[in-house]
Amino acid sequence: MELWAIWLVLAGILLVVEMLTLTFYLLWLGIGAVVAAVIDWIWPGSLELELVAGCLVVLVLTIFTKPLTRRFHAVAEYKDAVDDLVGKHGLVLEAVGADSPGIVRVGNETWSALSTARLEKGETVVVVSRGSAVLHVQKWGG
């Protein structure tokens, strides 16, 4: 398979995943892959040039659009779907502690979780906040 076609397949995958996440992070990488594909189509065999051009495009797009996307999120009252988990109830699947993350199920999703108090399997919890990839939970008293 030609390298330009591989770049286009990679770009397509990145763009599809971007449509699922709506974060703009993968969009710039997808555009960089398209630029690399175009360069390989025009000048075949110039992998270094493709990589440099693709990386430069990604860097420029990231630098110049970061303020724009930040403003877009602020004006549109952008809320990450994970933020909606705060206040929801879940079930402990694996014991949770302060220094040893466990696993909880909230809705139909499973998450790593931390808690200030030890929580055992089967206990009901409420999500109090979230980290980048970890939920912070506490025992539900209701």
Side-chain angles (χ1 to χ4, degrees):
M1 182 181 266
E2 297 288 329
L3 187 56
W4 63 266
I6 294 171
W7 281 116
L8 286 179
V9 168
L10 178 63
I13 291 169
L14 289 168
L15 294 175
V16 167
V17 174
E18 173 60 39
M19 285 188 278
L20 298 173
T21 62
L22 299 173
T23 59
F24 288 109
Y25 301 124
L26 299 175
L27 178 62
W28 309 149
L29 292 172
I31 292 172
V34 169
V35 168
V38 169
I39 289 176
D40 186 67
W41 187 60
I42 294 170
W43 296 292
S46 56
L47 182 62
E48 295 83 13
L49 179 62
E50 297 163 27
L51 290 173
V52 169
C55 289
L56 282 175
V57 166
V58 170
L59 184 65
V60 168
L61 286 172
T62 302
I63 290 171
F64 288 112
T65 59
K66 188 65 173 173
L68 178 68
T69 57
R70 192 175 298 131
R71 236 179 296 138
F72 171 73
H73 288 162
V75 170
E77 295 181 16
Y78 175 78
K79 191 171 183 182
D80 192 350
V82 177
D83 291 331
D84 290 337
L85 293 175
V86 175
K88 290 195 175 180
H89 298 100
L91 182 67
V92 177
L93 299 179
E94 287 184 17
V96 178
D99 53 352
S100 61
I103 298 177
V104 297
R105 171 171 283 141
V106 180
N108 60 355
E109 300 176 337
T110 55
W111 289 87
S112 293
L114 291 171
S115 176
T116 55
R118 179 123 177 111
L119 302 170
E120 298 299 327
K121 181 177 179 178
E123 289 188 88
T124 303
V125 296
V126 62
V127 179
V128 292
S129 66
R130 73 167 184 108
S132 58
V134 177
L135 297 179
H136 298 275
V137 298
Q138 66 184 23
K139 187 173 183 176
W140 183 54

